[in-house]
Amino acid sequence: MSIGPEDFRLDGKVAIVTGANTGIGQAIAVALAGSGAKVAAVGRSPMNETAAMIGDGAMIEIRADLSTTADHGRIVEETVAWGGGVDILVNNAGVIRRRDAIDFTEEDWDVVIDTNLKSAFFLSQATARRMIPNGGGKIVNIASLLSFQGGIRIASYTASKSGLAGLTRLLSCEWAGKGVNVNAIAPGYVVTNNTQALRDDPDRSQAILDRIPAGRWATPDDIAGAAMFLSSRAADYVHGSVLPVDGGWLAR
C-alpha cells in the first residue's frame, strides 16, 4: 500500500494534549485539530485562546494539575466521554527551574521531576489502558536537547528530559507489539515562556543563535509539524524514536 496525503490526516481521531494553553502545546493542539482531530486540551490555566484558534466543537478544555497523578484517570475518562475514545496523547506539559547545581533545592528538583517525568509516565499508562484494548494509538512525548546534552543551571530539567527519552524507548519496547507507537520530539531552542530568561540575556541569546545552523530560534509551529507526523498513520512503523527538531543544533 502506497502512502498518500490522507495518511498524514487525523480525521476521526481524538487527542489529549497537555500544556495546551500556550507555546508548543498550543501549537500542537491547533495543528492536530487542523488535521482533523478532536482535541482534549489539558492544563491548569484557561485555554480560551487555544479554543478560539481551534473553533467550536473540536476542543474540550480539561483543567487539571499535572504536577500530581491525582487527575490522570479523570483526564482520560472525560476525554473518552466527550470524544468516544482516545487515539493520541501528547505529553507536553513541563516546568523548569534555574539555579546553580551547588545551590539547587529539593523543592526545585521535585516539582520538575514530578511534572515532566512522573506525570508523563502515569498519564501514558492511564491512556494506554484505553488504547491497547481498542487496537492501539500514538503517544508523543516532548523531550528536549537536554535529553542528549547536559546544559547548565537546570539539573532537574536535564534529568527529567533525559529520563523521558529513556522512558520513550522503554514504553516502545513494551507497547509496540500492542499497537501503541511511543515516540518523542526533542525541540531545540524555541520562543516560549520557558526560554524567556535566556532570550532576555543578550549575550546568552546571541551565543545560542550563533550555534544554530538554521540561523534562528524555533517557533512552536516548527515543533507542531513533527507532532502531526508522529501522530499520524504515516508514522505507523516509527517506534522509540527521539526526533530532534533543533535547526541543526545537534549536528553542529
Side-chain angles (χ1 to χ4, degrees), residues 107-172:
E107 180 184 3
D108 284 341
W109 180 271
D110 288 346
V111 70
V112 174
I113 295 295
D114 285 350
T115 301
N116 296 9
L117 184 59
K118 182 178 179 180
S119 187
F121 171 74
F122 283 103
L123 186 54
S124 295
Q125 181 190 73
T127 305
R129 285 173 173 164
R130 281 284 186 170
M131 288 178 170
I132 290 170
N134 292 317
K138 313 282 188 184
I139 296 176
V140 181
N141 296 319
I142 304 303
S144 169
L145 290 183
L146 282 308
S147 301
F148 302 96
Q149 299 179 325
I152 56 172
R153 306 190 75 243
I154 47 173
S156 54
Y157 187 84
T158 298
S160 71
K161 294 302 186 177
S162 296
L164 193 58
L167 187 62
T168 297
R169 300 181 184 106
L170 175 281
L171 295 179
S172 178

Side-chain angles (χ1 to χ4, degrees), residues 235-247:
D236 276 356
Y237 202 62
V238 182
H239 293 277
S241 70
V242 182
L243 173 63
V245 183
D246 63 354

Side-chain angles (χ1 to χ4, degrees), residues 28-100:
I28 290 174
V30 172
L32 297 186
S35 191
K38 297 176 69 175
V39 177
V42 181
R44 285 183 296 184
S45 56
M47 286 164 276
N48 297 338
E49 184 179 73
T50 307
M53 294 168 74
I54 288 176
D56 293 339
M59 186 191 119
I60 184 175
E61 178 177 314
I62 300 177
R63 293 288 189 91
D65 181 359
L66 292 164
S67 67
T68 78
T69 61
D71 291 331
H72 291 171
R74 178 177 62 82
I75 290 168
V76 176
E77 293 307 313
E78 287 190 21
T79 300
V80 171
W82 170 71
V86 58
D87 307 288
I88 299 160
L89 167 65
V90 180
N91 282 310
N92 164 75
V95 296
I96 193 167
R97 296 289 184 271
R98 299 182 187 277
R99 193 186 301 266
D100 290 344

